[in-house]
Amino acid sequence: MKRVIVWILLIAFILSGLAAVIMADTKHPSMTADPVPKAPAAPKFTDVERHAELARRRAAVVARMTDNSILVLFSAEPKLYTNDVDYVYRQENNFYYLTALKQDGATLVITKNGGKITETLFLPKREPRREAWEGKMYSREQASQLSGMTRTVDASERDAMLLAVKNRGTFTSKDGSVTISGAPTLYLLLPEDQPDQPDVDGRREFRVENEFSKELTEYKVENAQPIFAGLRHIKSPYELKLLQHAIDITTEAQLRSMAMVGKAEWEYQVHAEVEYTFRRRNADFWGYPSIVGCGSNATTLHYVESQSPVKKGDLLLMDVGAEYEHYTADVTRTFPVNGKFTKEQAEIYQIVYDAQEAVAKATKPGVTFGGLSNASRDVIRAGLAKLGLITAPNATYQIMRDGKLTDVPQSGVWNFHGLGHWLGMNVHDVGDYAAPLKAGMVYTNEPGIYIREDALDYMPDTPANKEFKEKIRQAFEKYKTIGVRIEDDMLVTETGVEWMTGKLPRKISDIEAFMARASKEFAYTALNDKVPSNIFIDQRSNAAHSSVARLPGSSPF
């Protein structure tokens, strides 16, 4: 009898445990299903496909070089983070564009002489001691397998080669297998200085090239940047696959953030979800620092602190982009923390959405970027006028410029950046903004409206400005602190445009529907942080101090 009772109790215990599991699954379906679609698998290329792509690029560069000339490309220098710690190494874009190599201390030399082309790679020799600390370096065979280039010289001979080239002599490698002769024209990547406007960033990135060019008194030195800008402006199918994967990873990060934001207390928690997704999908890094701004922080274009509370009823603006194999996405979504837009938020959002639609409709080969910008501008001005935030679509107000009062569009108070930019190996990629669009170009379509709460405080005290502020004051109070930007990555096609970010919800109804479903199904455990993990706390707002906070009386413009 005792055995029977024991067995009955054991069976009852097992059944109760099973019931608990079933009930848990019913209450928390996220334990069995993830509502966020995963990014598709990364594209794969054979050695033959990669070699053909790189050879095509190198041939295109050579075709743009003058006869009897030399191109010298240096790999990127390691960048110092602090003391003896470097940033994660990232190869110089154009060097990578031609070689697919991520090795520092390397140099590529291409010569063109009477129809004869040579390609020589100077590569550091593998050092077991260095590899024990920093990881494996390329062997000659591995570099050849990646790049498809077979003519390799030890990097220790690079300086001798540069000296010979500088003196218009001939360099011969120690093993006698490689010779490189000087030529009248030498191509280097150089800063793109304009009259009275030095290229500060270019002088930092191309320091070695710039210094070497000053020693070349016997040469005609040409800047190679226009060659690469023209080639990289139009993406090949190979490049588009890599760029699309970066966009797909970013899309997943945006969706995961929409799903969990209602459970987050702080911006940095949403920020963490983004970069967790980047790493989870094996992105190299981000293409630029992630922007995650809630409430009034959404009205700051490059807000990167992520130190303020996430509040129900506010919008959260998230501008993020994963980088994969040197190609970066750039995607922005603005969505309500509680999953539902207020009437005022929706009115601002719809203007931005309609501006995006106008740009997409206008996109086709032959149109200029300026034409696209005008399409966006016209929609935004009409929308702002309808809401009472400007007095008329073409109305102006006054600012001080070069010591003089100047009339400028009122819409610029709320829409103060351009439509977008080219996208590729840089988030702000190379390309000519005056050039007519061609199939294969990729740009960002990112109109925005930002009702900054201090936007009216710094205008010159003129009768015209007083009248402007009085007329819009009621609308300003209604919409202030709302910031909306929507950014999509657009591929120009032969017939129009392709939304590379098309899998990410954009319509108000689609965002709300996804958030309503995903917020219930997505597994996320809040940390219940009462204050952010930061020692610098503003007790008045319970938010961390911003490192870019403005001093009283300073201008935001």
Side-chain angles (χ1 to χ4, degrees):
M1 186 64 181
K2 289 182 178 179
R3 288 185 178 181
V4 173
I5 293 172
V6 169
W7 277 105
I8 291 173
L9 291 173
L10 181 60
I11 292 170
F13 178 77
I14 293 172
L15 290 175
S16 64
L18 181 60
V21 171
I22 293 172
M23 290 297 292
D25 284 348
T26 302
K27 293 179 180 178
H28 303 284
S30 59
M31 297 175 67
T32 58
D34 190 338
V36 177
K38 304 294 186 295
K44 295 186 182 300
F45 304 101
T46 65
D47 288 347
V48 172
E49 290 172 323
R50 183 174 60 259
H51 292 171
E53 174 73 8
L54 296 173
R56 179 194 65 79
R57 296 176 188 177
R58 293 194 294 268
V61 169
V62 168
R64 287 160 175 77
M65 294 168 57
T66 61
D67 192 30
N68 203 11
S69 63
I70 305 176
L71 167 70
V72 179
L73 293 184
F74 299 106
S75 61
E77 296 182 281
K79 303 298 190 297
L80 181 68
Y81 174 65
T82 182
N83 195 24
D84 59 352
V85 178
D86 287 338
Y87 284 100
V88 174
Y89 184 75
R90 188 184 187 280
Q91 186 59 276
E92 195 280 318
N93 281 330
N94 301 299
F95 188 95
Y96 188 79
Y97 184 74
L98 298 187
T99 68
L101 299 178
K102 299 182 179 181
Q103 177 69 57
D104 66 327
T107 304
L108 173 64
V109 180
I110 298 178
T111 66
K112 179 180 181 180
N113 189 350
K116 181 181 179 182
I117 311 301
T118 66
E119 303 171 343
T120 308
L121 185 65
F122 287 77
L123 192 72
K125 187 177 181 180
R126 292 183 64 183
E127 301 176 28
R129 183 178 178 82
R130 178 179 172 184
E131 290 186 356
W133 284 82
E134 301 176 5
K136 286 189 176 181
M137 303 166 65
Y138 295 129
S139 65
R140 289 194 178 191
E141 294 75 20
Q142 290 168 331
S144 178
Q145 184 179 5
L146 281 169
S147 67
M149 300 173 63
T150 58
R151 197 166 124 129
T152 308
V153 178
D154 192 283
S156 63
E157 299 186 54
R158 188 195 74 168
D159 288 348
M161 178 273 297
L162 293 177
L163 182 62
V165 166
K166 183 178 74 170
N167 295 328
R168 295 283 295 275
T170 298
F171 163 79
T172 302
S173 61
K174 291 179 179 179
D175 62 7
S177 64
V178 172
T179 59
I180 298 174
S181 298
T185 304
L186 178 66
Y187 290 90
L188 295 168
L189 293 171
L190 297 170
E192 296 186 289
D193 289 344
Q194 302 295 331
D196 302 320
Q197 189 176 356
D199 178 7
V200 177
D201 291 336
R203 290 188 181 188
R204 287 189 300 178
E205 183 168 10
F206 304 115
R207 180 187 64 83
V208 174
E209 293 88 340
N210 197 32
E211 291 178 359
F212 181 53
S213 70
K214 295 174 183 177
E215 304 175 13
L216 302 173
T217 55
E218 302 298 319
Y219 275 90
K220 178 182 180 182
V221 178
E222 294 281 359
N223 194 343
Q225 291 215 54
I227 293 177
F228 286 97
L231 293 175
R232 286 169 47 194
H233 199 178
I234 298 178
K235 309 296 186 290
S236 69
Y238 185 105
E239 292 179 274
L240 290 172
K241 289 179 181 178
L242 295 173
L243 179 56
Q244 184 63 66
H245 190 57
I247 291 169
D248 289 340
I249 294 172
T250 307
T251 294
E252 182 181 344
Q254 287 273 6
L255 289 171
R256 290 180 67 90
S257 299
M258 288 183 188
M260 59 75 67
V261 68
K263 302 180 180 72
E265 293 100 6
W266 297 93
E267 292 166 341
Y268 63 79
Q269 295 170 347
V270 187
H271 190 151
E273 194 69 34
V274 171
E275 296 186 9
Y276 161 70
T277 306
F278 290 176
R279 282 299 185 189
R280 190 185 191 200
R281 299 297 171 220
N282 201 29
D284 299 335
F285 208 49
W286 40 250
Y288 55 94
S290 297
I291 298 168
V292 181
C294 191
S296 62
N297 290 334
T299 67
T300 298
L301 297 188
H302 294 161
Y303 170 79
V304 296
E305 287 80 6
S306 299
Q307 290 292 304
S308 292
V310 171
K311 297 179 180 179
K312 301 289 192 292
D314 280 350
L315 293 178
L316 186 134
L317 185 152
M318 200 164 72
D319 184 340
V320 299
E323 180 178 293
Y324 184 81
E325 288 298 327
H326 270 247
Y327 288 83
T328 181
D330 187 2
V331 185
T332 305
R333 285 296 182 268
T334 307
F335 45 88
V337 172
N338 63 6
K340 195 76 174 174
F341 287 87
T342 66
K343 178 178 179 293
E344 292 76 19
Q345 291 167 351
E347 287 173 338
I348 297 292
Y349 188 97
Q350 192 62 46
I351 297 172
V352 178
Y353 178 92
D354 291 343
Q356 267 202 317
E357 289 289 299
V359 170
K361 186 176 181 180
T363 301
K364 60 183 178 180
V367 175
T368 64
F369 206 88
L372 300 183
S373 297
N374 290 341
S376 172
R377 179 202 63 198
D378 292 346
V379 172
I380 288 176
R381 287 183 178 179
L384 291 172
K386 184 177 180 180
L387 296 185
L389 285 163
I390 59 177
T391 58
N394 295 317
T396 62
Y397 77 110
Q398 295 177 318
I399 64 169
M400 292 296 296
R401 181 178 290 168
D402 298 328
K404 298 180 181 179
L405 282 173
T406 305
D407 291 338
V408 295
Q410 291 179 6
S411 58
V413 177
W414 318 119
N415 170 233
F416 43 81
H417 61 75
L419 169 65
H421 48 81
W422 306 122
L423 187 68
M425 300 183 87
N426 289 325
V427 63
H428 299 144
D429 207 27
V430 294
D432 182 0
Y433 285 94
L437 297 184
K438 294 181 180 179
M441 294 180 177
V442 179
Y443 72 92
T444 63
N445 180 2
E446 53 174 314
I449 295 175
Y450 315 90
I451 315 301
R452 291 183 62 85
E453 55 189 335
D454 60 356
L456 304 180
D457 296 345
Y458 302 99
M459 295 179 181
D461 188 15
T462 68
N465 286 351
K466 285 181 179 179
E467 182 181 3
F468 166 50
K469 289 191 284 187
E470 287 173 3
K471 288 183 176 180
I472 69 162
R473 177 66 65 180
Q474 185 175 356
F476 168 71
E477 294 297 334
K478 181 179 180 181
Y479 297 104
K480 71 179 179 182
T481 74
I482 294 176
V484 173
R485 181 165 65 254
I486 316 172
E487 179 178 19
D488 285 84
D489 301 337
M490 318 293 281
L491 168 63
V492 181
T493 67
E494 294 289 352
T495 57
V497 70
E498 175 186 329
W499 297 73
M500 299 183 76
T501 40
K503 296 178 182 178
L504 187 58
R506 203 167 50 90
K507 288 183 181 179
I508 289 176
S509 58
D510 290 343
I511 290 173
E512 290 182 341
F514 173 78
M515 293 183 70
R517 175 177 59 84
S519 62
K520 297 175 184 176
E521 301 174 2
F522 189 74
Y524 179 81
T525 302
L527 297 177
N528 295 316
D529 288 348
K530 299 305 179 185
V531 293
S533 303
N534 187 311
I535 62 172
F536 301 106
I537 305 300
D538 183 344
Q539 297 297 338
R540 294 168 297 175
S541 63
N542 200 32
H545 285 299
S546 166
S547 61
V548 293
R550 287 179 291 97
L551 295 174
S554 64
S555 172
F557 304 114

